[in-house]
Amino acid sequence: MFLTLPKPETHAAPAKPLDLFQAIADLKQELNAVILAHYYQDPDLQDIADYIGDSLGLSQAAVNCQADVIVFLGVHFMAETAKILNPQKLVLLPDLDAGCSLADSCPPDRFAAFKAAHPDHLVISYINCSAAIKALSDIICTSANAVKIVNQIPKEQPIIFAPDRNLGRYVSQQTGREMVLWDGACMVHEIFSERKLVDLKVQYPSAEIIAHPECEENILRHADFIGSTTGLLKYVQRSDRQAFIVVTESGVIHQMQKATPTKKFIPAPPTSNCACNECPYMRLNTLEKVYLTMKNRTPEITLDESIRQAALKPMQRMLEMS
Ligand code: 13P
Ligand code: SF4
């Protein structure tokens, strides 16, 4: 992709279009930067990443990275998580408005009161939350390790699970553990239409339905396989089926198609005729913004040190228990 920069006033020659892919590669070397991207990013952004992963993989990559600068292609809570784990590194996010409806559904003041009302409960929070919520939590989990982590908690220990009620309900069903759930949800995973999903299954009877656990129960009931984005990607590679109806943010299909070019992937439709199966926050990052972010070394993620330290403890527990 090319970007034509405005003509510098003092130069007579016309401005040459800038090859953004090359310019980003050059800046990566200059900054000693690593580019980490989530599967829900635009395909162009996935293609410039050094590492593409789900939230767990991205956290592990952030811990192990040797670079001076982390360019995070994802949403704010993910870049913030990288900063929690790497306070000495410059962590850049191309658009600071790349938030998350699920993280927003759990404001720290209300959550602190909720926690105070359940004083004997252990707090397990899904990584899709702010650093302030992480700081109020005992253990963080992702969609990839939530069941494994809950299974390690002694049976008699009561648990609060926040902020996603859909993942919480799914984990409860998988582990047989009753948990007190915070009533939050993701705007993308709430929007899938059960009726349209069933219509698709009628149209493609041999296709398997694969879904992310953030989906509502009426959708998950139809799924042949449920997993994190990495889990879904691995599943399509090992399944002998040739077609899949993918019930999560449609960005993940890019890697599925690359890994298994002969297979067919059908994005599950939302209730209305919108592109609501694309996360509007994830899609705020663009190639142009990545270039400008690296060139100007801003916007960067900053964190209050006391919140960072409090948020680090439950993150470390997660990494130990994964
Ligand atoms: P993963 O755990 O699969 O990365 O999911 C993150 C997410 O934001 C899902 O909406
Ligand atoms: Fe948040 Fe949903 Fe977007 Fe994931 S898909 S980042 S949970 S709004």
Side-chain angles (χ1 to χ4, degrees), residues 38 40 55 74-78 98-104 126 128 164 185-190 212 214 248-249 276-283:
H38 191 268
Y40 294 167
S55 304
V75 290
H76 192 274
F77 77 80
M78 295 179 172
C100 168
S101 62
L102 179 52
D104 290 347
Y126 186 32
N128 296 34
D164 188 11
C186 157
M187 62 190 283
V188 177
H189 289 86
E190 265 193 325
H212 195 280
E214 280 179 27
T248 188
E249 216 275 6
C276 310
N277 55 2
E278 286 186 3
C279 172
Y281 300 108
M282 286 276 180
R283 305 300 179 126

